[in-house]
Amino acid sequence: MTTFLKRVPPLAWVDGIAILLFVVIGGDIHGGVRSAGVLRTALFLLIPWYAAAAFFGLYREPSWPIFLRTWGAGIPVGIILRQIWVGRLFTRATLLFFVAAAVLTLVFLIVARWLADLAGVEESS
């Protein structure tokens, strides 16, 4: 297992941490952070994110256009899956959550990548 973890590109860790921070901060703002809820919400975003990243090759050939494609595919799918899970797909709250989550995940991801760049984190392992 540790061999696998060592082969995960550093930017994949950065992206995952950014998405997890988004979920934790959002959970705190909306009524407290509970580990099961954080984990479930994070997985709804992380699984589609990494699936889209694999599909577009984000960690093989990192670039801003591929990053934006990954974000544009992975995050909306994750948001929709989460809303289906909580039973609020066709509500006004879903539209508000969709817009806020889409914009804020993009901000979290860009800031995380910017900080990683400042810290000298390399794009691939």
Side-chain angles (χ1 to χ4, degrees), residues 15-27 33-51 74-75 77-79 81-83 85-86 97 105 109:
D15 292 343
I17 291 167
I19 291 170
L20 187 58
L21 279 174
F22 162 77
V23 171
V24 168
I25 291 170
V33 177
R34 293 183 314 265
S35 10
V38 166
L39 180 60
R40 184 175 46 248
T41 301
L43 288 175
F44 277 117
L45 294 173
L46 289 169
I47 292 170
W49 171 265
Y50 288 123
I75 296 301
V77 167
I79 293 168
L81 290 174
R82 181 194 176 274
Q83 292 304 97
W85 177 265
V86 297
F97 177 72
T105 54
L109 287 161

Side-chain angles (χ1 to χ4, degrees), residues 6 39 51 73 81 99 103 108 113:
K6 288 179 183 176
L39 180 60
L81 290 174
V99 171
V103 169
F108 272 69
R113 282 173 168 247

